[in-house]
Amino acid sequence: MSENRPHVRILASTSAAKIISSELSRRRFLSFAAAAGATGLLAACSPGGATGTAPRATGGELESDLSIYTWGDYDAPDVLAAFTDELGPKITLDSFGSNEELISKLVAAKGTSGYDIVVPTGVFIPQMIENGLLSELNLDLIPNLEYMDPAFLGRAWDPQNAYSICKAWGTTGFVYDKTVITRELTTWADFLDAAQNEASGRMSVLDDPGDLTGAYFWANGIDWNTTDEDELAAAEDFLVNTLAPNIAAFDSYPGGSAIPQGTHVLMQSWNGDSRLGILESPDPDRWQWVFPGPETEIWMDNWAIAAGAPNPEAAHAFINYVLEPENSLAELDYIGYHTGATGIEQAAADAGLPMLDLVFFTPEQIDTMREGEVNEAQQRRVDIWNKTKAAAGA
């Protein structure tokens, strides 16, 4: 994102030669073992290590099938169905739970995964390119790229958009039940306080090392990318010994059930998932979404084509299709995240889409969003996460 635009500061890329040791946006290690597996596989894979690459799409006849490997419930069903009805390829969806899981499968397959489109988070793209896991895009076949806001193009991890195009970006906050927590919560310090009081035993955190530790660091005015051992030790002490006894669940998608069903009364959550849960609640006025201060995070996911994709023509056609303004708007409405399209905020308002304050953010809010970094403290954060889960009985 360009520095002079009032938009989010998207994750800066690291050296393409650096081994992936962390995930720096909303998705991180689901387990240390899974993460270590992905790291080891990628470390062992030399540049260009995938044995097969997709034939460059030429704009010829579309194949009959299209396989997409993406995050769970991250695509509007109506858009998928319309693509098949209009252009022909039948779509198969498969989902992963972390970038490490995605990378592990692609590295192990060595270009024979069978997937066409994949959806990595931006920080991983340089390493995926370096290790031959992605195919170069033929941008001539994606003319609808013209509908993307230039602020969401040319990111540091892929300056020419040669391998990736923004799918969506979002942030982290929390939701609480106003019938139980009757005071106003506005900060991460409020979140941690309510977790130990009104919401004790009925609260959840994201199943994510960065967001778990981030809540402590943000509440205490500490850089959430800190490598200072004293700060990390303080975070561990608080999370394991003070917060953990109050945690009922580690739930990365409370919008799917916990919010609509009222299972918990305080939930750390990503903005789009919060919006989904509140909209599906039988009593939406019961819930309050909080964009918390003083700081929080930002992430961005991207469309890309896997090396060895068996259906490259269909893959290009699909990416082009979802970039059409009406389809981009439908995606936004379904997933609850900004898709990066030019003018989409006004289009969403004109369409009367609900709860747009959970999709679009003010310049003042955006100024408090912080990206993650690859650094030597990642394993330490994972260890804290594991210890907190153990202490909570999760």
Side-chain angles (χ1 to χ4, degrees), residues 103-114:
I103 291 166
S104 292
K105 182 165 284 191
L106 295 183
V107 170
K110 298 182 178 180
T112 63
S113 69

Side-chain angles (χ1 to χ4, degrees), residues 15-87:
S15 168
K18 186 174 288 187
I19 302 295
I20 292 176
S21 61
S22 65
E23 180 180 351
L24 302 176
S25 60
R26 68 176 173 132
R27 286 98 178 210
R28 289 175 173 80
F29 302 103
L30 292 186
S31 69
F32 181 68
T39 300
L41 281 169
L42 193 52
C45 184
S46 61
T51 58
T53 58
R56 185 170 177 83
T58 62
E61 184 177 353
L62 301 188
E63 301 90 354
S64 60
D65 297 295
L66 176 67
S67 178
I68 302 176
Y69 195 32
T70 184
W71 305 94
D73 201 22
Y74 204 30
D75 299 277
D78 289 348
V79 173
L80 301 178
F83 172 79
T84 298
D85 289 345
E86 294 179 27
L87 298 180

Side-chain angles (χ1 to χ4, degrees), residues 111-182:
T112 63
S113 69
Y115 294 119
D116 298 304
I117 293 175
V118 293
V119 186
T121 304
V123 71
F124 285 96
I125 289 173
Q127 291 84 4
M128 295 179 76
I129 295 170
E130 182 74 9
N131 287 277
L133 302 183
L134 301 178
S135 292
E136 187 170 356
L137 301 173
N138 182 347
L139 296 181
D140 290 340
L141 302 182
I142 311 177
N144 288 335
L145 193 62
E146 68 174 322
Y147 296 120
M148 286 291 294
D149 187 329
F152 295 89
L153 300 175
R155 302 315 312 142
W157 56 73
D158 188 9
Q160 304 303 317
N161 290 104
Y163 292 87
S164 64
I165 295 170
C166 172
K167 171 178 171 52
W169 64 265
T171 190
T172 302
F174 60 88
V175 173
Y176 67 93
D177 183 341
K178 293 184 291 184
T179 69
V180 176
I181 303 173
T182 56

Side-chain angles (χ1 to χ4, degrees), residues 331-351:
E331 283 281 294
L332 180 153
D333 185 34
Y334 184 80
I335 65 175
Y337 297 106
H338 193 316
T339 58
T342 300
I344 198 165
E345 183 170 3
Q346 186 60 54
D350 291 344

Side-chain angles (χ1 to χ4, degrees), residues 169-231:
W169 64 265
T171 190
T172 302
F174 60 88
V175 173
Y176 67 93
D177 183 341
K178 293 184 291 184
T179 69
V180 176
I181 303 173
T182 56
R183 58 181 165 129
E184 183 181 15
L185 307 182
T186 62
T187 68
W188 283 113
D190 292 340
F191 172 81
L192 296 178
D193 183 74
Q196 300 169 69
N197 292 286
E198 302 101 314
S200 180
R202 294 187 290 170
M203 60 86 61
S204 67
V205 292
L206 291 166
D207 196 6
D208 179 306
D211 283 312
L212 173 67
T213 56
Y216 171 82
F217 292 131
W218 296 320
N220 289 280
I222 301 170
D223 180 0
W224 73 310
N225 298 306
T226 183
T227 60
D228 183 275
E229 178 51 35
D230 289 341
E231 293 174 340

